[in-house]
Amino acid sequence: MSLLSQDERDRADRFHFAVDRTRFILARAALRTLVGQAAGQAPEEIEFSTGPYGKPGLKGRPDLHFNVSHSGALALIGISSERPIGVDIEIIRENMDELALARTFFCEDEFAFLSALDAPARLRAFYKIWTCKEAVLKAFGVGISTNLKDFSVELTQDGVKIHPTSACFTPALAMTRIEPIEVPAGYAGTLALAGL
């Protein structure tokens, strides 16, 4: 708690459940510690800035990129000195209608791909696609709700490929590097480095 800013402490105090408050505090302290190490600054002295869609940055250090994602009991933090980074981790929830969500938020080819899979494989594939989309959009610092259909995600035996649509928000999307991350059972995670 001593590493957090007053604003972060205020945010922590707004959590209703103690477990959520503790997870937030630990994630922010870990973020400050890791970014501080990368920047050569004390964690408690770091000043964060925020982009137009909420992506965090480090004041005075546009060369240091980082991103954080929380889900369930885990937080995923990515740091890059090369190019903008986005990360996403999601706890896999079995009691959801992934096809209904895919029909609403995914591209037609993603929905068709998921529709052809059996239920267990479909759920895993849904989360791979979802975390990929979120990580890519977070890497570029753009709105998730408005840009989910700007590209489709193809799951291949060799990994993941993305295919920008003609209405995509940036041509640099084609040069984005995407990697699924090994995370504990019951979670899905992806890292994306924005194309330049």
Side-chain angles (χ1 to χ4, degrees), residues 23 69-74 88-96 123 126-127 130-131 183-189:
R23 287 174 178 168
S69 177
H70 320 152
S71 186
L74 298 181
D88 189 49
I89 190 166
E90 298 289 339
I91 191 167
I92 296 174
R93 301 187 191 285
E94 308 255 346
N95 58 345
M96 59 178 266
L123 186 65
F126 171 85
Y127 276 101
W130 183 266
T131 59
V183 292
Y187 287 83

Side-chain angles (χ1 to χ4, degrees), residues 13-163:
D13 287 339
R14 289 195 288 270
F15 283 96
H16 182 71
F17 297 107
V19 67
D20 295 328
R21 180 177 185 268
T22 300
R23 287 174 178 168
F24 174 81
I25 291 167
L26 291 173
R28 293 307 288 193
L31 176 65
R32 285 181 161 278
T33 299
L34 294 171
V35 171
Q37 288 172 352
Q41 291 181 291
E44 62 276 10
E45 294 175 4
I46 287 176
E47 287 188 58
F48 291 120
S49 59
T50 305
Y53 294 97
K55 184 175 183 182
L58 184 59
K59 282 189 181 175
R61 289 295 304 270
D63 60 317
L64 184 63
H65 308 281
F66 63 92
N67 198 234
V68 63
S69 177
H70 320 152
S71 186
L74 298 181
L76 177 62
I77 298 170
I79 299 174
S80 171
S81 59
E82 297 173 17
R83 47 190 177 158
I85 188 170
V87 296
D88 189 49
I89 190 166
E90 298 289 339
I91 191 167
I92 296 174
R93 301 187 191 285
E94 308 255 346
N95 58 345
M96 59 178 266
D97 186 347
E98 62 272 9
L99 281 181
L101 289 169
R103 184 180 291 115
T104 303
F105 297 109
F106 289 1
C107 297
E108 288 179 22
D109 52 345
E110 294 163 329
F111 175 74
F113 170 75
L114 291 172
S115 296
L117 299 175
D118 63 26
R122 182 172 57 233
L123 186 65
R124 288 190 305 274
F126 171 85
Y127 276 101
K128 285 181 184 177
I129 292 170
W130 183 266
T131 59
C132 182
K133 283 181 169 284
E134 283 220 28
V136 167
L137 294 172
K138 288 171 75 177
F140 283 94
V142 298
I144 290 173
S145 61
T146 56
N147 299 105
L148 280 170
K149 292 188 178 183
D150 280 15
F151 62 98
S152 65
V153 175
E154 179 186 3
L155 304 180
T156 71
Q157 297 218 348
D158 299 326
V160 177
K161 291 182 182 176
I162 57 174
H163 305 283

Side-chain angles (χ1 to χ4, degrees), residues 161-176:
K161 291 182 182 176
I162 57 174
H163 305 283
T165 65
S166 58
C168 184
F169 62 91
T170 177
L173 193 69
M175 295 170 281
T176 299

